[in-house]
């Protein structure tokens, strides 16, 4: 018998989410060696639909990039992006004048609020070996009262993110509290900043041929578990294959028997925001009128314009990991 009611679903692109989350995309690209311009060899770009290349050809995609893979400048309003880079690097530039290069386990938390433009490019820094990229991008909604806050971004450097080592599992705690271990603070206007909203983002690795129990939340929340790497898992009398997810009432413990390979999970949890949601591309508001207003304001103001030389801006190859904040503060790692 099943332990409790839950829903399973395949992991497509993007992954299905539950309120307060809006979107979750998993990017796994086995990029080749880079050239002097931090992109693939020009010959490898032949036959691709550059500027709109989402086809997994030769193990990688260019997305909206023409010479360097990634997402050139584009707007957001009304929600947050949380970008978890497990492998490879992401170059961030935005309309506030902020910038950064992060990767190899770092997390960027950006509150779009009233509106911001940013670019997310994936420079191929290695010329002598391949440049694998693995990242998640999660969109977390903002409640009505915070839809128009000032844009903000912060870095959660991997050296600072709590990682709990259990007997058979390792849990990276990006948001929320896991068995008494508290994550770093979320962005200040985030739904995740208030503990009573029980927002959690955890990356979990579990050893093969073991049993792992994910404890239930202390209050009713929406919880999603994404099984993105491994072979198979079992819960109750159910077998769940890799590249499937589970939605369930987060107050229930869930016992997972791991198959022949180490299992990798992403967990998203949170108290829902009980307000209307109206989405149009990069804008998430509470009404159609607010969507129209966002489109008009972006047309007129470009949300502050673009202070960088290129729409697909990347930083110098030898720059290293860094964050340049809108107030001019520079942090190097």
């Amino acid at each position: 018998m099943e332990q409790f009611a839950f829903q399973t679903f395949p992991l497509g692109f993007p992954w299905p989410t539950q309120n307060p989350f809006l979107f979750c995309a998993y990017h796994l690209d086995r990029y080749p060696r880079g050239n002097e311009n931090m992109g693939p060899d020009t010959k490898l770009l032949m036959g691709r639909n550059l500027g709109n290349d989402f086809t997994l050809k030769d193990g990688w995609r260019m997305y909206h990039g023409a010479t360097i893979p990634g997402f050139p400048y584009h707007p957001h309003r009304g929600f947050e992006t949380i970008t978890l880079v497990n492998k490879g690097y992401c170059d961030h530039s935005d309309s506030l004048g902020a910038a950064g290069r992060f990767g190899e386990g770092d997390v960027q938390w950006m509150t779009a609020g009233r509106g911001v433009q940013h670019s997310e490019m994936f420079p191929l820094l290695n010329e002598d070996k391949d440049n694998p990229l693995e990242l998640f991008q999660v969109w977390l909604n903002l409640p009505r009262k915070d839809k128009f806050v000032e844009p903000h971004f912060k870095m959660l450097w991997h050296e600072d993110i709590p990682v709990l080592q259990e007997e058979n599992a390792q849990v990276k705690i990006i948001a929320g509290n896991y068995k008494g271990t508290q994550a770093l603070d979320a962005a200040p206007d985030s739904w995740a900043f208030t503990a009573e909203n029980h927002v959690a983002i955890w990356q979990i690795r579990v050893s093969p041929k073991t049993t792992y129990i994910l404890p239930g939340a202390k209050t009713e929340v929406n919880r999603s578990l994404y099984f993105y790497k491994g072979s198979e898992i079992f819960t109750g009398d159910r077998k769940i294959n890799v590249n499937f997810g589970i939605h369930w009432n987060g107050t229930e413990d869930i016992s997972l028997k791991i198959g022949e390979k180490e299992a990798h999970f992403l967990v998203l949890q949170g108290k829902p925001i009980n307000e209307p949601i109206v989405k149009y591309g990069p804008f998430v508001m509470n009404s159609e009128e607010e969507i129209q207003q966002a489109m008009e304001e972006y047309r007129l103001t470009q949300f502050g314009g673009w202070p960088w030389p290129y729409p697909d801006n990347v930083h110098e190859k030898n720059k290293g990991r860094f964050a340049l904040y809108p107030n001019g503060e520079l942090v190097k790692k």
Side-chain angles (χ1 to χ4, degrees), residues 54-123:
F54 283 76
T55 300
L56 191 62
K57 180 182 177 183
D58 300 326
W60 52 276
R61 296 154 284 208
M62 286 293 288
Y63 301 106
H64 293 309
T67 57
I68 297 172
F71 298 89
Y73 65 10
H74 54 280
H76 291 300
R77 171 179 276 187
F79 64 98
E80 301 184 286
T81 61
I82 305 162
T83 307
L84 296 64
V85 183
N86 289 344
K87 299 177 183 177
Y89 293 91
C90 179
D91 274 14
H92 165 88
S93 307
D94 68 34
S95 54
L96 307 175
R101 171 172 291 161
F102 58 99
E104 299 301 322
D106 298 327
V107 176
Q108 186 207 58
W109 198 304
M110 189 184 81
T111 306
R114 62 176 175 77
V116 66
Q117 288 193 80
H118 76 152
S119 64
E120 303 155 290
M121 306 305 298
F122 311 135

Side-chain angles (χ1 to χ4, degrees), residues 133-322:
L133 176 81
E134 182 183 58
L135 69 80
F136 306 92
Q137 184 163 95
V138 176
W139 291 11
L140 176 61
N141 200 10
L142 288 167
R144 188 192 306 272
K145 69 180 183 63
D146 294 323
K147 291 284 189 190
F148 291 92
V149 297
E150 290 296 312
H152 177 89
F153 100 90
K154 69 180 296 182
M155 289 303 311
L156 309 180
W157 301 110
H158 72 254
E159 296 92 338
D160 304 323
I161 297 173
V163 177
L164 183 63
Q165 188 68 53
E166 299 185 305
E167 182 179 0
N168 300 314
Q170 182 186 85
V171 183
K172 185 174 181 179
I173 306 163
I174 294 156
N177 187 295
Y178 180 87
K179 295 185 178 180
T181 299
Q182 180 64 43
L184 301 171
D185 284 344
D189 293 302
S190 176
W191 186 247
F193 190 82
T194 302
E196 288 75 14
N197 294 329
H198 297 279
V199 174
I201 302 174
W202 303 325
Q203 284 185 258
I204 304 174
R205 287 189 346 212
V206 187
S207 301
K209 301 180 180 179
T210 63
T211 297
Y212 170 72
I213 297 176
L214 181 63
K218 295 179 180 179
T219 188
E220 288 194 7
V221 292
N222 288 331
R223 182 181 274 184
S224 302
L225 179 143
Y226 304 96
F227 176 30
Y228 67 93
K229 189 182 298 184
S231 51
E232 68 284 319
I233 58 175
F234 300 85
T235 178
D237 59 357
R238 294 282 293 273
K239 175 184 176 182
I240 300 170
N241 291 319
V242 69
N243 294 320
F244 272 76
I246 305 171
H247 291 329
W248 81 101
N249 181 329
T251 59
E252 302 281 358
D253 291 359
I254 185 169
S255 178
L256 304 173
K257 184 178 179 181
I258 310 302
E260 296 294 321
K261 296 182 180 179
E262 181 178 74
H264 293 237
F265 307 106
L266 177 72
V267 174
L268 301 181
Q269 167 191 293
K271 177 182 174 182
I273 299 171
N274 293 317
E275 296 175 355
I277 297 174
V278 181
K279 297 187 286 186
Y280 184 82
F283 308 129
V284 181
M285 305 304 294
N286 297 110
S287 68
E288 291 287 353
E289 291 78 11
E290 290 174 333
I291 291 291
Q292 294 300 319
Q293 178 188 1
M295 295 171 63
E296 179 68 7
E297 287 187 26
Y298 179 62
R299 185 183 69 81
L300 293 173
T301 69
Q302 298 293 293
F303 291 163
W306 188 248
W308 303 97
Y310 304 105
D312 55 351
N313 194 60
V314 295
H315 311 301
E316 295 177 5
K317 182 180 289 190
N318 61 357
K319 188 79 171 178
R321 293 158 59 226
F322 78 97

